[in-house]
Structure formats: C-alpha cells, structure tokens
Amino acid sequence: MAKPSFTLQDAEVIQQDRAYNGFFKIDCYQLKHRLFQGGWSNPLSREVMVRRPATAVLLYDPHHDQVVIVEQFRVGALAANDKNPWLIEIVAGIIETGETAEDVAIREAKEEANCDIQQLLPICEYYPSPGGCSEKLHLFCGIIDTSVVVEGVFGLAEEGEDIRVSCIPAKQAITMVQDGKINNAASIIALQWLALNKSDIQERFSQT
C-alpha cells in the first residue's frame, strides 16, 4: 500500500463559520490544501455537516447462526424518494460525551433490540460520507444469544423511535444484501464481514 502523501498539517483552514446550529450542525469552511503535483490549491469553499462519531453493531448468535435486524423509518430515504423509507438495518447510535464506542454498542443493543451483548468484536472504523460530513462510524459485531431475544417493537419513545426487531438466519441477511433489500452502508459492511468471518467466529465460540 502506498504511503499517505499528506497529513493534517498539509491543509489550512482560512475561516470557519457555523451556518446552522440545529439537531444537525453545518459549518462553512474557507480552506486550501497541498496538491499532489506540488504547491497549494486555490482557496476553496466547502460546507460540512458536523456530526458526532457513532457506533453500529451487528448482533450475531454463532450457536444458532442468526442475526438480529431492526427496521425503522429514515427521513433521508424519504428525502431521496425511496419507494420504502423504512430501512432494514443493524443497531446503531451516536457516541455521547463521556461514552466509548463500546459503551454505545452495549447501550443501543439494549435500547433498540432488547439484547444483551456477551462480547464485542471490532470490525472497522470508517467515514460514511467524508465529502461533506464529519461523522466517523465505529463498527462492531456483538455476540448474543438469540434464544432469549424477544422479537417486537422497541426504542425510546422520547426520541421518537419506533423500531421493529427480528431474528433471522445469517444466510438470509447476507442474501438480503445481495438482493439490495439491505441498502445502508453499516449493515452492508457488517454483513459482508460476517460472510467472510462466520466460520471462524462459530469455531471460536463453539469452545466457550
């Protein structure tokens, strides 16, 4: 892999202003950065949606080879005129001040899916939309026991959450990615990771 060409010091913020300060925040940047062929870019104007880092966790039972999926309304899909803005996803939540990514995985698994995580396996960290959003997402696999999972509707009413929870075979969930029925990044990445690592995870936890 090629060595990264630049670091944070190779970009210069000329001016930064808060343009919107609601539930989401938008900052306007005037900036410049070094160029691959040498020198600096002209000053650029960029808008960034400022979001806190977040956690998403794929809840997986290696003994029964099942995953827990959640379904909920997503306004972004509505704004994109998706024919069905109720998306099938994995559990996720924003990391609040004082929390770790692992704390949020455990908290959200309980709030959104009424699941207790036995062990967390890190998958990766990534930027969902770095061209215009500051959010960084921490992705995990959470080992659970689906024999004690109660399917139904969960979530926090005070946050407007209305989340339907289901347990399905892991093979079915992976097929839903292939068929386009699961169409959000965190769920796709996590289930593709599971497809590659499922046998190793099952062997590992068969000994526990």
Side-chain angles (χ1 to χ4, degrees), residues 19-90:
Y20 181 75
N21 197 36
F23 179 77
F24 295 120
K25 307 177 191 307
I26 297 176
D27 284 353
C28 294
Y29 283 81
Q30 296 289 322
L31 60 89
K32 61 181 181 177
H33 60 78
R34 291 190 185 275
L35 301 172
F36 289 116
Q37 293 182 328
W40 288 78
S41 70
N42 293 324
L44 304 170
S45 296
R46 295 289 184 268
E47 290 79 37
V48 176
M49 178 180 286
V50 180
R51 293 199 62 178
R52 299 184 65 89
T55 290
V57 55
L58 172 65
L59 302 174
Y60 175 60
D61 180 345
H63 299 291
H64 298 95
D65 197 23
Q66 289 188 317
V67 299
V68 170
I69 57 171
V70 298
E71 184 179 1
Q72 60 184 315
F73 174 80
R74 290 303 197 186
V75 69
L78 173 72
N81 292 315
D82 194 292
K83 63 182 180 180
N84 183 6
W86 278 259
L87 301 188
I88 299 170
E89 304 177 332
I90 61 176

Side-chain angles (χ1 to χ4, degrees), residues 55-193:
T55 290
V57 55
L58 172 65
L59 302 174
Y60 175 60
D61 180 345
H63 299 291
H64 298 95
D65 197 23
Q66 289 188 317
V67 299
V68 170
I69 57 171
V70 298
E71 184 179 1
Q72 60 184 315
F73 174 80
R74 290 303 197 186
V75 69
L78 173 72
N81 292 315
D82 194 292
K83 63 182 180 180
N84 183 6
W86 278 259
L87 301 188
I88 299 170
E89 304 177 332
I90 61 176
V91 165
I94 295 172
I95 302 173
E96 302 294 348
T97 302
E99 289 186 308
T100 66
E102 292 81 3
D103 291 337
V104 177
I106 294 168
R107 171 172 60 79
E108 291 292 338
K110 192 66 176 178
E111 289 180 5
E112 292 192 357
N114 198 32
C115 287
D116 294 309
I117 293 176
Q118 300 171 359
Q119 188 168 339
L120 279 173
L121 308 177
I123 296 177
C124 68
E125 300 173 7
Y126 71 97
Y127 293 97
S129 187
C133 183
S134 65
E135 181 185 33
K136 186 176 188 180
L137 196 138
H138 302 256
L139 191 56
F140 296 93
C141 175
I143 302 302
I144 63 167
D145 178 4
T146 53
S147 68
V148 296
V149 172
V150 178
E151 297 181 308
V153 178
F154 299 96
L156 298 179
E158 60 268 28
E159 295 184 7
E161 293 180 332
D162 180 54
I163 301 170
R164 184 165 67 178
V165 176
S166 302
C167 297
I168 63 173
K171 182 178 180 181
Q172 179 182 347
I174 293 166
T175 299
M176 292 170 73
V177 171
Q178 297 169 334
D179 293 344
K181 294 177 181 177
I182 293 178
N183 58 0
N184 57 91
S187 303
I188 292 171
I189 294 169
L191 287 165
Q192 289 179 333
W193 176 88

